[in-house]
Amino acid sequence: RDLHKEYRRQRQMCIRDRLMSRAFKPVCLIAVVVFAGAFATYDEIRQSYVAGRYGSTEDVLVDIIGAVVVVVLFKIIYAYRKNKYMSNV
């Protein structure tokens, strides 16, 4: 019974690690930043058509910088947790 639980736990961790390692590949991280930039650009263009509002390049840049900061923070946290897990194994 305990062996079955341990096997299931190991399998779930293996699947999670495989998914997380794919999610943190450079191509995926760059795609996140590009998507954030595209969405920010779309939002600013849409905003420029609303009365009393205007679109600005600075807002797009701030959104892109925010996406980069989040990606870097997630990468640091992932590396820290992975190293912590590996030291416990």
Side-chain angles (χ1 to χ4, degrees), residues 4 8-9 12-13 18-19 26 29 40 45 65 69-71 85-86 88:
H4 180 67
R8 186 185 312 166
R9 187 180 72 79
Q12 287 173 345
M13 286 174 28
R18 209 173 316 143
L19 289 173
L29 299 177
I45 290 170
I65 290 170
V69 168
V70 167
V71 163
Y85 168 73
M86 292 306 241
N88 288 336

Side-chain angles (χ1 to χ4, degrees), residues 1-2 7 11-12 16 30 34 37 39-40 44 47 52 57-59 64 68 77 82-84 88-89:
R1 195 93 175 136
D2 289 333
Y7 172 73
R11 190 166 153 243
Q12 287 173 345
R16 185 192 70 207
I30 290 169
V34 168
F39 189 80
E44 292 302 318
Q47 245 180 34
T57 310
E58 292 84 13
D59 282 346
I64 292 172
V68 169
I77 291 168
K82 186 175 182 181
N83 288 339
K84 185 177 175 182
N88 288 336
V89 172

Side-chain angles (χ1 to χ4, degrees), residues 12-53:
Q12 287 173 345
M13 286 174 28
C14 180
I15 291 169
R16 185 192 70 207
D17 288 346
R18 209 173 316 143
L19 289 173
M20 291 302 285
S21 66
R22 286 183 191 159
F24 285 102
K25 285 189 176 183
V27 173
C28 292
L29 299 177
I30 290 169
V32 166
V33 173
V34 168
F35 179 75
F39 189 80
T41 303
Y42 160 75
D43 189 43
E44 292 302 318
I45 290 170
R46 186 184 55 80
Q47 245 180 34
S48 67
Y49 290 108
V50 175
R53 310 260 334 241

